[in-house]
Amino acid sequence: MKRRVVISILGTTLDAGGRDDRWKRWRPTVSLCMQPSLFIDRLELIHGPGSGRLARQIVGDIEQVSPGTEVREHLMSLRDHWDFSEVYTNLRDFARAYIFDTEREDYLVNITTGTHVAQICWFLLTEARFIPARLLQLSPPPRRTSPEDPVEIVGSHSIIDLDLSRYDAIATRFAAERDEATSFLKSGIATRSPAFNQMIDQIEKVAIRSRAPVLLTGPTGAGKSQLAKRIYELKKAQRQVSGDFIEVNCATLRGDQAMSTLFGHVKGAFTGAQAERAGLMKSADKGVLFLDEIGELGLDEQAMCLRAIEEKRFLPVGADRDTTSDFQLLAGTNRDLSVSVREGRFREDLFARLNLWTFSLPALKDRKEDIEPNLEFELRRYSEREGQNVTFNREAREAYLRFAAAPEATWRANFRDLSASVTRMATLAPQGRINEETVRDEIARLRLLWSTGANTPGSEDVLVELLGSDRAEAIDLFESAQLATVISACRETGSLSAAGRRLFAVSRLEKTSSNDADRLRKYLARFGLSFDMVVRP
């Protein structure tokens, strides 16, 4: 059985008493050693240099009421007992020097005596586990109502365990709050994948307990952007952040414009800088900055990002004075950054900083059990967006889910494919009811989509890399397939003219004069692209 040890401060007021009347008064330190069913094996008694006489009296009285209790005195000099910093520092030093043996001893910290400041410090030290103990609160006996009532000096006690999981009602409440937080991160979707649910549980803990950067990896369309927004909203609900959620797709940043967009610039920093610009990092002050596709950042921008993450300061373009921004960072990528580090395309020190918390979002084809709940989510989202309730009939629903979970359903664009599929079926559904014919048509459409080059592995990523996820999603399937082919030709040929000759090899024969390079340049310009941007390594 463990020995019971109490750590306590001598109560210079409550423990005091004259020679004759002290046994008629409740004195918490003496009462402590008189509690029924709470034998104290050792009392660690802390007092100041001016309280030696009272301490000796209390030690002597404890010897009378509890001879088996060992009392050890500890001298602690405090200039100001109401100075939080001084009191906390001294009690922290006491805890650091004390040798706790939790295998053999059970520790209690008496918060009855001492100033309110000392009681607060005891709580903080115990709650942070600097002192591996429970709290002990003593209460005086009921006040006598008549002189004939017997004198009571023992009082009562209560023990407070700061491990709140031991309290059933509190533990139930905490469990409900955790479930609510994880459901929030999943947008209320009752996902069934054990691995995914376990990952979300971990993300919830990290989001609430840590301010460190979080790296979200996974294929395009796996939900990194949506999850980043939910993490921000959870942090804001927990009052960890008060600023905005700032999202930037790093694949859209090029050259000097990347520096200006991220870090801002001063007026006149470069040609066209007609006014000062704060930059997205400054805009994220007190909030969350989400750097999507961070693997596409240039090495110079990576170096400045690293300093901004570590020091919370950076130098705007053209400025001679740092600016500060206290943001929390989320980052996303569909690349393996460790490979990029080995290839010299990503800084090792920045990767090490980001890699503290890395979570890999699986592709939809690896979460087939979650297609059904996500199908319901997409239908609800369509209804909210369009103001029209759409449902499946039973046969149509079963047919669609059978196909969705079959090996031929590759879901190459992941949740973007699923969302687009539901949108098409809901739009075409007669009288808001998706029937078997609608499902058959949609299955044929998906088979065609996945069998063509429009959605071949990598083409979706290429468009997101160059245009950003929002702009890539806004392009029709026909044009996205065409643009992906054009980009591939540009990268394979290496020059604007050569790419134009390949792409317009047939139609150019019908023209008396042709300028294939100019045609290609104008085509790329429709999407805000140039040849150099497309072929940049």
Side-chain angles (χ1 to χ4, degrees):
M1 187 173 180
K2 291 185 178 182
R3 290 165 52 83
R4 185 176 289 119
V5 179
V6 174
I7 302 171
S8 181
I9 295 175
L10 180 67
T12 54
T13 299
L14 292 177
D15 282 329
R19 289 186 178 181
D20 298 329
D21 68 347
R22 70 180 189 275
W23 293 108
K24 298 178 181 179
R25 298 176 61 245
W26 176 73
R27 293 177 295 161
T29 302
V30 177
S31 167
L32 166 65
C33 300
M34 300 173 67
Q35 295 296 310
S37 71
L38 189 72
F39 177 74
I40 308 301
D41 292 283
R42 189 172 72 248
L43 172 63
E44 308 287 0
L45 187 61
I46 301 171
H47 63 84
S51 303
R53 181 176 178 182
L54 175 60
R56 289 190 295 274
Q57 183 185 72
I58 292 297
V59 171
D61 289 346
I62 290 174
E63 289 178 355
Q64 292 186 47
V65 300
S66 182
T69 299
E70 175 190 3
V71 181
R72 295 179 181 176
E73 296 183 51
H74 300 270
L75 197 63
M76 184 176 293
S77 296
L78 294 172
R79 292 189 303 274
D80 185 351
H81 292 262
W82 296 94
D83 183 289
F84 177 84
S85 177
E86 182 182 4
V87 175
Y88 183 89
T89 300
N90 276 269
L91 293 179
R92 175 72 177 89
D93 289 343
F94 168 84
R96 181 177 299 176
Y98 193 92
I99 300 175
F100 292 98
D101 184 0
T102 54
E103 295 295 322
R104 295 182 177 85
E105 296 180 336
D106 180 34
Y107 297 95
L108 300 171
V109 172
N110 180 19
I111 59 171
T112 311
T113 52
T115 63
H116 295 325
V117 171
Q119 293 166 359
I120 293 171
C121 292
W122 278 138
F123 172 84
L124 293 174
L125 290 167
T126 306
E127 194 269 342
R129 303 302 293 169
F130 288 121
I131 301 177
R134 294 174 293 167
L135 301 180
L136 174 67
Q137 174 71 60
L138 300 167
S139 302
R143 183 173 298 180
R144 297 169 65 196
T145 57
S146 70
E148 288 76 22
D149 291 340
V151 176
E152 171 63 56
I153 63 172
V154 176
S156 60
H157 72 275
S158 59
I159 294 175
I160 306 166
D161 195 332
L162 294 182
D163 180 1
L164 298 181
S165 64
R166 295 178 181 270
Y167 299 88
D168 291 341
I170 297 177
T172 301
R173 174 68 178 271
F174 279 4
E177 290 180 355
R178 281 196 302 273
D179 291 343
E180 182 180 345
T182 53
S183 176
F184 180 83
L185 288 177
K186 295 186 291 186
S187 301
I189 304 171
T191 52
R192 301 167 183 171
S193 167
F196 181 77
N197 288 339
Q198 182 180 14
M199 182 187 69
I200 291 295
D201 287 341
Q202 292 178 353
I203 292 175
E204 180 264 339
K205 292 183 178 71
V206 171
I208 292 176
R209 301 175 186 177
S210 174
R211 290 174 53 87
V214 173
L215 178 63
L216 303 175
T217 69
T220 299
K224 297 186 291 292
S225 295
Q226 182 174 340
L227 180 57
K229 291 175 186 175
R230 303 300 280 183
I231 291 174
Y232 161 75
E233 290 165 3
L234 179 60
K235 284 179 173 289
K236 192 166 186 179
Q238 296 286 327
R239 296 178 176 82
Q240 289 191 10
V241 297
S242 57
D244 296 329
F245 177 78
I246 304 297
E247 180 177 3
V248 57
N249 191 303
C250 299
T252 64
L253 304 179
R254 296 289 184 273
D256 292 338
Q257 192 66 23
M259 288 287 195
S260 174
T261 301
L262 285 174
F263 308 107
H265 63 250
V266 298
K267 182 179 179 180
F270 50 83
T271 303
Q274 301 296 324
E276 181 177 319
R277 181 180 187 180
L280 295 178
M281 282 199 174
K282 185 63 178 177
S283 299
D285 190 25
K286 309 300 181 185
V288 169
L289 176 66
F290 177 48
L291 295 180
D292 197 9
E293 304 306 340
I294 193 172
E296 308 306 321
L297 272 183
L299 292 173
D300 291 340
E301 290 83 7
Q302 292 175 31
M304 289 189 66
C305 278
L306 178 62
R307 183 179 179 230
I309 295 168
E310 293 182 338
E311 301 179 15
K312 304 300 182 186
R313 59 178 60 246
F314 52 88
L315 193 67
V317 178
D320 55 8
R321 183 180 301 174
D322 281 342
T323 188
T324 61
S325 180
D326 185 14
F327 60 87
Q328 296 186 42
L329 179 69
L330 304 177
T333 183
N334 58 15
R335 294 183 181 274
D336 184 341
L337 291 185
S338 63
V339 173
S340 298
V341 169
R342 290 195 296 272
E343 294 174 347
R345 299 180 64 245
F346 201 82
R347 291 179 63 100
E348 186 173 9
D349 48 5
L350 178 57
F351 178 59
R353 194 71 174 83
L354 296 175
N355 202 32
L356 174 63
W357 297 112
T358 298
F359 298 98
S360 181
L361 275 64
L364 181 57
K365 65 182 178 63
D366 298 324
R367 292 174 54 195
K368 293 290 181 72
E369 65 267 58
D370 284 338
I371 290 178
E372 185 173 5
N374 275 281
L375 178 65
E376 294 301 318
F377 171 75
E378 292 296 343
L379 278 175
R380 288 197 306 271
R381 196 162 69 159
Y382 177 87
S383 298
E384 293 168 1
R385 184 174 66 245
E386 303 297 334
Q388 180 183 3
N389 187 44
V390 178
T391 60
F392 280 89
N393 70 33
R394 184 173 61 83
E395 293 80 6
R397 178 188 175 86
E398 291 174 353
Y400 186 82
L401 288 175
R402 257 194 323 272
F403 168 77
E408 65 173 314
T410 57
W411 299 112
R412 287 176 178 166
N414 296 292
F415 289 95
R416 289 178 184 158
D417 273 352
L418 181 62
S419 178
S421 177
V422 172
T423 297
R424 287 191 292 264
M425 288 189 294
T427 302
L428 298 173
Q431 288 82 48
R433 188 76 166 167
I434 300 173
N435 56 26
E436 291 174 277
E437 182 182 356
T438 306
V439 167
R440 281 195 299 270
D441 290 344
E442 178 57 25
I443 290 175
R445 194 178 290 110
L446 287 171
R447 283 173 173 156
L448 178 63
L449 173 67
W450 294 331
S451 66
T452 64
N455 212 14
T456 53
S459 64
E460 177 86 10
D461 292 346
V462 166
L463 297 187
V464 172
E465 171 191 338
L466 291 170
L467 301 175
S469 57
D470 291 339
R471 290 179 60 199
E473 288 180 19
I475 299 176
D476 289 335
L477 173 62
F478 175 82
E479 288 207 336
S480 66
Q482 190 177 63
L483 180 56
T485 302
V486 170
I487 292 170
S488 176
C490 290
R491 291 182 171 178
E492 289 174 5
T493 55
S495 75
L496 188 65
S497 297
R501 285 193 297 271
R502 173 188 289 189
L503 290 166
F504 305 117
V506 176
S507 62
R508 68 193 303 268
L509 298 177
E510 302 174 0
K511 297 180 180 293
T512 56
S513 64
S514 62
N515 188 337
D516 299 330
D518 186 58
R519 290 176 68 187
L520 177 54
R521 185 184 298 109
K522 289 178 179 177
Y523 176 81
L524 291 173
R526 286 174 49 199
F527 303 95
L529 299 174
S530 68
F531 183 80
D532 289 340
M533 292 168 61
V534 167
V535 300
R536 183 181 70 89

